[in-house]
């Protein structure tokens, strides 16, 4: 394989709403560049990019796929991503390692919700963006409306580089405003004829050309001066200006395509070669601490692993970008996160499932390797001399959660292991065995994502599973002080048991005053693993309970706090003053005091105006303005407290605090009330009291269950 230096490597990611034509474009680019000699189609299930069985079955991309082409003297690494935001993890990690985003806009629809959702991520990473209007050959193509929607969304940064002379089924000509040439394609696409601009297009083309020159000049003072002097800019000067504008997010050049008919992709690749920045021209990657990582060709080696794929008969593949220096077959690198040394015995450039072995990869390039034992996505592999690690990709929080059980009990262990593997591949699939809920909780991005996990479990790993409603991790606390005492006494048979405890419990909050009216001898503060605190005071006077029994009393209390009196949920934020009791010279022991402590606590708790708390989530819904009413009404039905609203383009962002119990399958409802035109994200905010009637219901439910189990 030809070796390219860093300047001649360009990394692009194909982004866009579902079905905009990303996979078809990737295939066309490979074909145009002569890397493949037959163009597959998504319908025929034979594209290089969509090679997974599930992608064939569904007819859309599920995984981000790495491909490459060579166009003129450049190598272009292409990552084809899925359009559905259920697979946002794949999309984000691809954007992260690309240097230019190519955002496809479907000429049938203009800017879609899907475009909007994905745009937010491209924008967050501030990568240069090329806007590619695809499907201009489609009979429903509407170039003008599409352009209008883009102008509305991106403002004047959306910069026409080309426009189609005709559209729909007769589409075959594009006027290029940089080269001031008309490209006319043969019926089945491919290499266009370069023609002078026809007379009837001259006026329009000249006006748009001048706009483009101005736009290119705007981004740089010296170009601006040149433009004023000469009244124009030459092609190279325009390219230079556009590049600066792209890197500052002030220019989003617009290209015209029919990926299906193979029209326009060569010109797009030429522009990527000549104008899109290579990795070494971009700002250095930030480290975890926000400092710049080394990024020179002669710096010691750093690799960033952005994706992991477990292929059934190959094992684990790690995809990485070379952040600095270079890597050769057989090199040893240290994994920053695990501190283990990994030997890279094989290096590949990937084209879908095809592996092209290479001996060396240089800075800016994207490659893959096999069988790294201790390396996962987001890890940095580096030369010993490199300090720090590349800042990890932040994956979004889950939007849907479910409990999962294996249909066959004996598969439980395997299910846990397999789900761990799936999480390694897709960090947006999160698995957590909740000891508290006694459920295996699976969280991910949406119904479809969930269905994919199920598909993989069944097809790839032969595991039958069921999804069941997940329980809610409630908490229990108290609202006022209460006293209680308990005498534990057992004197049948051999050794007896005796312990008596008097205690007072009170709600605990940060910064409260020390208890008065007690003779505090000792205070022990415990941060509870499930949040909140237990503060335990020894206020025993005159040695009525031996010092050695106090830890047992505390242990008894903690045990009850693990299975609270109201609903069996964790108890938090209580302080306990143990102030009196009794011992027996022979029968008192640890277990007796543990039981006495536990029972006294339980009694006091019941009398202390107990309150159930529920997890509350911060919810952010992005919704087109005209659908806001429906979404708000639905949110109010979910006991949400609306925190505010904010306009963003044609969208409104609603911020609310919503109980987790009301978020079950919210993805599904939101999709149905907005026809898939809205999106949301959640993050845990806090615990808040459950309304009285719901608390009563939950307690009744728990008692019923308790009776069933304990008789
Ligand atoms: N007419 C026309 N159809 C196209 C064009 N590009 C893609 N298509 C069709 O649009 C459909 C979707 O194409 P894909 O390439 O799978 O689109 P995608 O963006 O990869 O889709 P996802 O991966 O599911 O997001 C297929 O039926 C393609 O044949 C085009 O330029 N013109
Ligand atoms: Mg696709």
């Amino acid at each position: 394989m030809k070796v390219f230096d860093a300047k001649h490597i360009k990394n692009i990611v194909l982004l866009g709403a579902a079905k905009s034509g990303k996979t078809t474009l990737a295939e066309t680019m490979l074909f145009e560049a002569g890397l493949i000699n037959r163009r597959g189609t998504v319908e025929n299930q034979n594209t290089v990019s969509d090679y997974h069985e599930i992608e064939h079955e569904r007819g859309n991309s599920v995984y981000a796929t790495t491909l490459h082409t060579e166009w003129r003297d450049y190598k272009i690494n292409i990552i084809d991503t899925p359009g559905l935001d259920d697979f946002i993890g794949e999309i984000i990690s691809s954007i992260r390692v690309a240097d230019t985003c190519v955002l496809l806009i479907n000429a049938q629809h203009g800017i879609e919700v899907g475009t909007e959702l994905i745009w937010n991520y491209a924008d967050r990473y501030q990568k240069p963006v090329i806007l590619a209007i695809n499907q201009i050959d489609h009979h429903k193509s509407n170039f003008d409306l599409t352009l209008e929607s883009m102008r509305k969304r991106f403002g004047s940064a959306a910069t026409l580089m080309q426009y189609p002379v005709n559209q729909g089924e007769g589409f075959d000509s594009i006027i290029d405003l940089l080269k001031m040439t008309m490209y006319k394609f043969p019926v089945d696409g491919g290499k266009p004829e370069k023609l002078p601009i026809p007379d009837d297009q001259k006026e329009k083309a000249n006006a748009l050309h001048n706009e483009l020159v101005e736009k290119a000049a705007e981004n740089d003072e010296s170009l601006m001066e040149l433009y004023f002097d000469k009244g124009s800019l030459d092609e190279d000067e325009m390219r230079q200006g556009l590049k600066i504008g792209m890197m500052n997010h002030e220019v989003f050049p617009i290209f015209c395509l029919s990926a299906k008919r193979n029209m326009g992709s060569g010109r797009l690749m030429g522009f990527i070669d000549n104008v899109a920045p290579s990795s070494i021209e971009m700002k250095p990657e930030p480290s975890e601490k926000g400092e710049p990582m080394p990024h020179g060709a002669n710096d010691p080696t750093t690799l960033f692993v952005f994706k992991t794929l477990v292929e059934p008969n190959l094992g684990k593949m790690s995809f990485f970008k070379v952040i600095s220096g270079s890597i050769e077959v057989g090199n040893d690198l240290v994994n920053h996160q695990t501190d283990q040394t990994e030997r890279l015995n094989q290096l590949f450039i990937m084209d879908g499932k095809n592996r092209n072995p290479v001996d060396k990869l240089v800075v800016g390039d994207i490659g893959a390797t096999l069988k790294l034992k201790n390396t996962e996505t987001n890890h940095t592999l580096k030369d010993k001399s490199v300090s720090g690690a590349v800042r990890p990709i932040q994956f979004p929080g889950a939007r849907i959660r479910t409990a999962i059980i294996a249909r066959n009990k004996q598969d439980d262990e395997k299910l846990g292991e397999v789900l761990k593997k799936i999480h390694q591949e897709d960090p947006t699939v999160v698995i957590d065995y909740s000891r508290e809920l006694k459920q295996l909780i699976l969280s991910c991005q949406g119904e479809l994502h969930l269905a994919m996990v199920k598909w993989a479990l069944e097809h790839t790993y032969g595991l039958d599973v069921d999804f069941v409603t997940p329980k809610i991790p409630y908490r229990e606390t108290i609202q006022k002080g209460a006293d209680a005492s308990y005498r534990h006494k057992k004197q049948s048979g051999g050794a007896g048991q005796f312990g008596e405890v008097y205690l007072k419990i009170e709600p605990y909050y940060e910064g409260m005053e020390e208890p008065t009216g007690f003779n505090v001898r000792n205070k022990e503060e415990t941060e509870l693993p499930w949040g909140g605190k237990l503060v335990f005071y020894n206020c025993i006077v005159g040695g009525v309970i031996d010092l050695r029994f106090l830890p047992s009393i505390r242990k008894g209390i903690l045990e009850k706090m693990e299975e609270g009196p109201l609903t069996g949920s964790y108890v938090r934020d209580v302080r306990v003053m143990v102030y009196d009791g009794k011992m027996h010279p022979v029968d008192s022991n640890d277990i007796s005091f543990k039981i006495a402590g536990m029972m006294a606590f339980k009694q006091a708790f019941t009398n202390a105006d107990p309150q159930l708390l529920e997890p509350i989530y911060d919810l952010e819904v992005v919704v087109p303005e005209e659908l806001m009413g429906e979404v708000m009404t639905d949110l109010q039905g979910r006991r949400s407290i609306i925190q505010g609203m904010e306009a963003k383009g044609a969208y409104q962002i609603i911020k609310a605090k919503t109980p987790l119990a009301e978020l079950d399958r919210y993805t599904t409802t939101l999709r149905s009330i907005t026809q898939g035109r809205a999106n949301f994200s959640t993050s845990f905010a806090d615990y808040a009291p459950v309304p009285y009637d719901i608390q009563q219901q939950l307690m009744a439910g728990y008692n019923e269950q308790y009776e069933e189990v304990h008789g």
Side-chain angles (χ1 to χ4, degrees), residues 23 50 61 80-81:
T23 301
D50 282 359
S61 306
D80 174 29
T81 62

Side-chain angles (χ1 to χ4, degrees), residues 381-453:
L381 294 169
K382 59 183 194 178
D383 185 89
K384 285 195 285 291
S385 63
V386 175
S387 63
V390 178
R391 181 183 286 169
I393 302 159
Q394 285 271 329
F395 290 100
R399 287 184 290 194
I400 188 168
R401 63 194 271 283
T402 180
I404 179 169
I405 44 174
R407 230 169 259 168
N408 300 321
K409 198 90 193 85
Q410 66 267 31
D411 283 342
D412 273 356
E413 202 173 310
K414 185 173 169 197
L415 177 63
E417 279 165 25
V418 167
L419 286 171
K420 220 162 105 189
K421 264 194 214 169
I422 293 179
H423 168 73
Q424 280 179 4
E425 279 193 273
D426 181 353
T428 58
V429 176
V430 179
I431 317 298
D432 176 37
Y433 178 75
S434 166
R435 264 188 56 210
E436 170 185 13
L437 309 176
K438 297 178 185 63
Q439 283 183 318
L440 187 59
I441 305 288
L442 169 67
S443 315
C444 63
Q445 293 297 312
E447 294 282 353
L448 183 58
H449 199 197
L450 214 53
M452 291 301 111
V453 173

Side-chain angles (χ1 to χ4, degrees), residues 64 157 191 203 283 289 431 460 546 617 637:
K191 204 172 157 51
E203 197 181 328
K283 268 198 241 144
K289 293 186 184 135
I431 317 298
T460 315
D546 246 11
Y617 275 66

Side-chain angles (χ1 to χ4, degrees), residues 163 175-177 180 197-199 201-213:
Y163 71 88
I175 287 182
D176 194 285
L177 300 165
M180 285 307 272
I197 294 174
D199 287 344
Q201 295 292 332
K202 271 199 179 134
E203 197 181 328
K204 182 176 177 186
N206 281 333
L208 290 171
H209 174 77
N210 290 339
E211 274 179 28
L212 180 61
V213 176

Side-chain angles (χ1 to χ4, degrees), residues 250-266:
E250 277 157 8
V251 172
F252 306 135
I254 301 174
F255 282 81
C256 299
L257 291 170
S258 164
K260 191 171 178 177
R261 295 242 206 109
N262 187 12
M263 295 177 184
S265 72

